């Protein structure tokens, strides 16, 4: 991520941003700053407000109240074409009757760039996504991943200050999506511009982002780095939505963890054989394996603890064996006190 000078304004500043659709508040007084050159993701379930915030930044929607600043300039009332942003959508929105080159050059053509210059710039943009050899083809002759790269080239060729990406990888299959994640991150580093990425896929957000805002009910539930959100979730919602967590109520925490309030432990922090119960900070609880699931790189075991709740334990796959043989086995689930995360706000 590019360094943000203390004297330079952020790429995006949202102040008190609110959007109401009739009686529904889609975005509820959001305050947010996004640094220049940052890969920033807005993560949340459907209806959480993340896509509406993106559309407000793009100018496709007008806020009910609040302001939107782009590099220190108030653009709240400006039309989309008067903002130095561009948007990449999930459905690519390529012109089927145009060649790949003409699709990429279209934005330059609209801006009156001479033909030779726009062709040169379009070819450079295609080279950046490694598709210059496809310049003469039509979109229908490309794969889904190639069409998405053309859409990225078309969006970046006009050199926007901010690129908005509305779940651009959502229509791709898993293998291609993982490949595109790597390419998208590399493209952002090469271009050095601000990317604002909307997704409901928490793994995608963790993989790509410098920082993430987790949205719920039109508000930002937590803002931080991927490591912050995963290792130190600030609420039950974030712990449950970002990755997988074993959640413990106040009563369960007191009985099993030896602490008050709501708490969580990630499945990979639990073990069936790793910690010695005598090690400093180590704790354990007895239970019965009710399911053992092979997931390739690991084995996920579901254990019913004697003290009440059901937990998931994820361990490295270091052996082969049948899950059927494990069901009903009595085990000791162990963990370290340092791996327990409190979800109870201070003073609550």
């Amino acid at each position: 991520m590019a360094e943000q000078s203390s004297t330079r304004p952020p790429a995006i500043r949202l102040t008190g941003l609110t959007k109401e659709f009739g009686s529904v508040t889609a975005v509820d007084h959001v305050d947010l700053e996004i640094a220049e050159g940052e890969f920033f993701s807005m993560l949340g379930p459907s209806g959480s407000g993340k896509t509406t915030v993106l559309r407000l930044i793009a100018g496709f929607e007008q806020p009910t109240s609040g302001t939107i600043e782009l590099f220190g300039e108030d653009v709240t009332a400006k039309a989309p074409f008067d903002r130095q942003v561009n948007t990449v959508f999930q459905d690519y929105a390529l012109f089927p009757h145009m060649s790949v080159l003409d699709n990429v050059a279209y934005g330059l053509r609209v801006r009156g760039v001479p033909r030779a210059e726009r062709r040169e710039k379009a070819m450079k943009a295609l080279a950046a996504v490694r598709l210059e050899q496809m310049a003469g083809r039509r979109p229908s002759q490309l794969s889904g991943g190639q069409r998405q790269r053309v859409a990225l080239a078309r969006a970046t060729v006009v050199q926007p200050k901010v690129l908005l990406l509305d779940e651009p990888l959502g229509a791709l299959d898993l293998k291609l999506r993982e490949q595109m994640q790597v390419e998208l991150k590399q493209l952002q580093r090469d271009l050095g511009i601000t990317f604002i990425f909307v997704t409901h896929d928490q793994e995608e957000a963790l993989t790509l982002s410098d920082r993430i805002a987790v949205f719920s009910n039109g508000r930002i539930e937590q803002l931080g780095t991927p490591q912050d959100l995963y290792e130190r979730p600030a609420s039950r919602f974030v712990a449950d939505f970002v990755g997988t967590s074993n959640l413990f109520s106040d009563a369960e925490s007191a009985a099993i963890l030896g602490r008050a309030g709501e708490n969580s432990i990630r499945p990979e922090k639990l073990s069936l054989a790793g910690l010695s119960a005598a090690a400093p900070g180590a704790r354990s609880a007895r239970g019965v394996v009710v399911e053992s699931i092979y997931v390739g790189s690991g084995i996920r075991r579901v254990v019913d603890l004697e003290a009440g709740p059901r937990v998931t334990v994820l361990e490295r796959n270091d052996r082969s064996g049948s899950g059927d043989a494990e069901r009903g086995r009595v085990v000791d689930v162990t963990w370290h006190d340092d791996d327990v995360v409190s979800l109870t706000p201070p003073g609550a």
Side-chain angles (χ1 to χ4, degrees), residues 51-177:
T51 298
T52 303
V53 171
L54 193 82
R55 291 179 61 81
L56 289 165
I57 295 171
F60 300 146
E61 301 281 356
Q62 284 296 304
T64 305
S65 61
T67 59
I68 302 164
E69 293 179 32
L70 176 63
F71 293 91
E73 178 189 2
D74 190 338
V75 298
T76 310
K78 287 197 171 186
F81 52 80
D82 284 331
R83 306 182 187 203
Q84 290 182 297
V85 303
N86 218 337
T87 307
V88 177
F89 300 99
Q90 182 176 326
D91 61 0
Y92 319 135
L94 301 177
F95 298 115
H97 63 287
M98 290 184 180
S99 69
V100 165
L101 182 63
D102 287 341
N103 263 282
V104 174
Y106 182 77
L108 298 172
R109 177 181 163 190
V110 170
R111 287 164 173 78
V113 176
R115 183 175 180 178
E117 183 182 348
R118 68 176 183 252
R119 178 183 175 84
E120 180 184 358
K121 288 185 175 181
M123 286 301 295
K124 285 183 179 178
L126 283 171
V129 295
R130 302 192 312 281
L131 282 180
E132 63 269 37
Q133 74 279 11
M134 303 288 186
R137 296 192 183 185
R138 297 287 176 88
S140 61
Q141 297 173 298
L142 305 180
S143 69
Q146 289 170 336
R147 289 197 295 272
Q148 188 56 275
R149 280 189 274 167
V150 172
L152 285 166
R154 185 181 61 182
T156 57
V157 73
V158 295
Q159 298 181 317
K161 286 189 173 182
V162 177
L163 188 64
L164 309 175
L165 301 108
D166 187 9
E167 305 209 37
L169 309 183
L172 305 180
D173 61 57
L174 178 61
K175 191 74 175 178
L176 186 54
R177 197 162 71 235

